[in-house]
Amino acid sequence: MTLTTTAAWPALQSALAGRTFTDLTHAFHPGQPRFAAFPDENREALFDLERGDGFTAHRYSIVGQWGTHVDPPSHFIRGGRTLDRIPVQDMILPLVVLDITRRVERDPDATPTLRDVHGWEDRNGRIPAGCFVALRTGWSSRWPDGDAMANKDADGVSHTPGWSREVLSFLVEERSVSAIGHEQTDTDPGLATSHGDFGLETYILAKDRWQIELMADLSGLPESGAAIVASWAKPSEGSGFPARVFAIS
């Protein structure tokens, strides 16, 4: 048998030398913040070295949308792409970071505007087609405090940042981005989700894009020039799953 070798690894090793790797994933665990309608994680040690077993193995009972996770189109859209239909080459993308942290510090209901997008392009050039756009809000600093993440007022209305329709429409229709992500629990701001309005999440998934929710701290990343790697398990016809996400800058 003749083995064929390629230069892929040496070239990649050279390209990655000296780069910074930033983990953008929360480690999930029972009791963590979650969508209110979802049950908590149940974790059971079927075999345990501490009990004298020959190995440790856990059974995890979780919903797909658990912790830092991926939402494919099928999460909201009947007939939409499922996790197993998203090709692996789409799991590594150019990363664009849209930062509204300072505005969120003053107003937790803040959302991005086209002015934010145009400002980003004035500084960095046109948002590249096929990229991943992450919304930096600073909200991940509240993890894993569920009350702080939900930030509800006395009337039970959640005050959390989210995306805006004008920005998502621009990113999809004018810049052809592949995916988006954010630090908060939902695509839509809390003022909308508190009233059962998930229109922005429906929009982005209906456009055959996927997203990562509950991303960990984005503050150490450049707004342009990095790459993001997002990977997950491959359940047949899966509608969501915890993801492992990191940036290379």
Side-chain angles (χ1 to χ4, degrees):
M1 174 183 289
T2 301
L3 295 178
T4 301
T5 60
T6 70
W9 172 245
L12 185 59
Q13 188 176 39
S14 176
L16 295 178
R19 298 291 183 179
T20 298
F21 291 76
T22 304
D23 194 346
L24 302 176
T25 314
H26 294 295
F28 66 79
H29 56 83
Q32 69 177 23
R34 62 189 183 276
F35 181 59
F38 290 159
D40 198 0
E41 173 187 340
N42 182 37
R43 189 178 304 192
E44 177 187 3
L46 300 179
F47 300 91
D48 194 336
L49 288 169
E50 298 301 319
R51 295 198 306 246
D53 297 326
F55 55 90
T56 295
H58 290 93
R59 175 164 54 198
Y60 303 88
S61 177
I62 56 173
V63 294
Q65 279 68 23
W66 193 248
T68 304
H69 65 270
V70 57
D71 289 330
S74 65
H75 178 43
F76 269 36
I77 307 302
R78 183 175 297 169
R81 277 193 301 167
T82 52
L83 289 181
D84 51 318
R85 291 168 54 197
I86 298 176
V88 292
Q89 59 265 35
D90 288 355
M91 295 180 182
I92 178 167
L93 299 171
L95 176 61
V96 166
V97 178
L98 195 61
D99 189 358
I100 62 168
T101 304
R102 290 185 180 178
R103 195 180 315 143
V104 171
E105 290 171 351
R106 300 189 301 270
D107 176 13
D109 298 312
T111 61
T113 66
L114 285 181
R115 182 176 179 179
D116 296 315
V117 176
H118 294 322
W120 190 98
E121 293 194 324
D122 288 343
R123 295 186 299 274
N124 302 287
R126 185 183 175 94
I127 291 174
C131 72
F132 183 107
V133 183
L135 182 63
R136 178 192 290 167
T137 60
W139 212 251
S140 64
S141 64
R142 296 167 178 251
W143 182 274
D145 186 328
D147 290 339
M149 290 288 291
N151 197 35
K152 292 182 179 179
D153 63 22
D155 296 320
V157 175
S158 183
H159 295 274
T160 66
W163 289 90
S164 65
R165 180 60 181 263
E166 67 172 0
V167 166
L168 287 182
S169 296
F170 181 85
L171 294 176
V172 171
E173 307 293 345
E174 303 296 329
R175 294 297 181 263
S176 298
V177 305
S178 288
I180 64 165
H182 41 269
E183 298 175 55
Q184 61 275 5
T185 306
D186 294 298
T187 316
D188 297 79
L191 289 176
T193 61
S194 293
H195 297 92
D197 180 358
F198 296 90
L200 298 183
E201 184 162 1
T202 300
Y203 169 79
I204 197 72
L205 299 181
K207 291 296 184 179
D208 197 35
R209 271 55 176 188
W210 53 271
Q211 66 174 12
I212 300 291
E213 294 195 303
L214 290 170
M215 298 179 74
D217 188 13
L218 293 162
S219 64
L221 297 175
E223 63 176 9
S224 175
I228 192 167
V229 180
S231 186
W232 49 82
K234 192 180 179 181
S236 178
E237 300 184 359
S239 61
F241 215 83
R244 189 64 184 268
V245 186
F246 64 95
I248 306 171
S249 57

